[in-house]
Amino acid sequence: MATKMQEFMANSPDVLCARFTSKTPSLLATGGSDNKVGVWRSSGAYACLASLSGPTSPVTAVALSPSQNASEAENVVGGDESGVLRVWNLARQQETRKYTTSCHKSAVTYLDYHPFGEFFVSSSFDGNVKVWDLRKKACLQTYKYQEGKDAGRPEVSHVRFSPDGRMVASGNEDGTVILWDLLAGKKLHRIRWHNSKVTSIDFHPQEFILAVGCADGVVSYWNIDDWSLLSQTPAKAGKGGVRAMG
C-alpha cells in the first residue's frame, strides 16, 4: 500500500500534470488550471523555485530538461489546452521560446525530453506527434496517426523517447501504440492489442522492452526487437486505470 509522504498546494484549483526530473526526484514541475507552471525542489519539504506564467489557457503537460547535474535542470517546457508550447530558463525564470508556428491545433497531452536534451517531443488530441529542436527553435518532424491504413480514434494521449534517443513511442485513445524512427522520420511498427485508452508508456532503461499501461488497468510488456508480447497483467474492472509508470 502506498504511503503519502508529502502534500502541498501546487496549482489552484487543479493540478493537471506533474513530472519529476529524469535522474532524481529532487525537482518536480507541475502545471494546472491557473495557467501556470510551477517548479519545486524537495529538501525535506517541497519548496517553490519558480512560478512561471505566460500561457493563456490551462497547462496540460510539462517536462524538465535532463542535466549532467542530477539535482538541476536548465529548462522546463510546458504545453497548454490551446496547443501552444513554451520553454522557460529556470535560472532566469524567463520564457525563452514560444512555439506557435507548426504547433498543435488542440490540447497538448504529454511532453518528453530527448535523453541528450537537445530535442523534446509533444503529443496532442489533434492526432499529431511532433519533435522539436531547441537549438533551431523549430519543429523537425510531425508524425500523423491517421495516414492511409491507420483507423480509429486519432487522439494521441502519451509519448516517450527511447533511452537511446532513436525511437519515439506514442499511445492513442483507441489503445493503439506506434513506434516511430526518429532518424528516418517514419513509422516502424504499430501495436493493436489494447481495447482501451493508452494512459502511460515507458521503455526499460537497459533492455529492448516497452511497457504500455491502459485505462482498463492492463499493463503489457513488449519485446521491441521482434515486436512480440512478453506478458500482460489482467484488467482491473472498476478499480481505475494505469495513471503513470516509470
Side-chain angles (χ1 to χ4, degrees):
M1 180 180 293
T3 301
K4 181 170 70 176
M5 298 177 65
Q6 294 186 40
E7 180 177 319
F8 60 96
M9 180 64 73
N11 299 82
S12 179
D14 299 311
V15 176
L16 302 179
C17 53
R19 289 287 300 277
F20 284 108
T21 46
S22 58
K23 295 183 179 180
T24 179
S26 61
L27 285 183
L28 173 71
T30 63
S33 56
D34 56 1
N35 304 354
K36 292 183 179 180
V37 171
V39 181
W40 310 79
R41 185 189 299 280
S42 174
S43 53
Y46 276 96
C48 184
L49 293 181
S51 180
L52 307 170
S53 58
T56 57
S57 62
V59 178
T60 52
V62 289
L64 287 155
S65 63
S67 172
Q68 295 300 318
N69 184 344
S71 65
E72 299 293 340
E74 181 180 354
N75 298 308
V76 58
V77 58
D80 63 31
E81 259 186 8
S82 67
V84 174
L85 298 162
R86 287 176 168 85
V87 180
W88 292 268
N89 179 279
L90 287 183
R92 300 196 302 269
Q93 296 192 21
Q94 183 179 37
E95 183 180 307
T96 56
R97 295 171 183 83
K98 178 181 176 182
Y99 298 93
T100 54
T101 304
S102 302
C103 210
H104 293 289
K105 301 185 185 332
S106 187
V108 178
T109 55
Y110 207 79
L111 293 164
D112 196 34
Y113 264 98
H114 191 275
F116 306 135
E118 298 170 344
F119 313 97
F120 68 91
V121 63
S122 61
S123 60
S124 170
F125 284 143
D126 66 6
N128 293 329
V129 172
K130 292 178 177 286
V131 179
W132 304 86
D133 190 323
L134 286 167
R135 299 164 301 179
K136 296 180 180 179
K137 303 180 182 180
C139 179
L140 291 181
Q141 298 279 357
T142 297
Y143 305 134
K144 297 179 182 293
Y145 172 66
Q146 284 192 308
E147 289 185 344
K149 295 182 180 180
D150 286 335
R153 297 185 63 180
E155 300 96 330
V156 185
S157 52
H158 205 87
V159 66
R160 292 298 292 267
F161 278 113
S162 62
D164 61 6
R166 299 175 63 183
M167 289 187 295
V168 171
S170 61
N172 289 65
E173 291 277 322
D174 66 354
T176 299
V177 176
I178 299 178
L179 280 295
W180 307 90
D181 187 317
L182 185 61
L183 297 178
K186 64 181 182 180
K187 182 168 59 181
L188 281 174
H189 190 73
R190 181 179 58 171
I191 299 171
R192 293 295 302 269
W193 181 262
H194 292 278
N195 296 315
S196 65
K197 171 185 174 180
V198 175
T199 53
S200 187
I201 296 173
D202 204 11
F203 287 90
H204 192 284
Q206 297 174 326
E207 300 181 27
F208 292 105
I209 296 174
L210 177 71
V212 180
C214 290
D216 60 2
V218 172
V219 178
S220 61
Y221 301 90
W222 300 85
N223 183 333
I224 57 176
D225 193 27
D226 60 7
W227 314 113
S228 61
L229 177 65
L230 298 174
S231 64
Q232 74 169 42
T233 64
K236 299 178 180 179
K239 296 185 177 181
V242 179
R243 299 296 180 89
M245 296 187 296

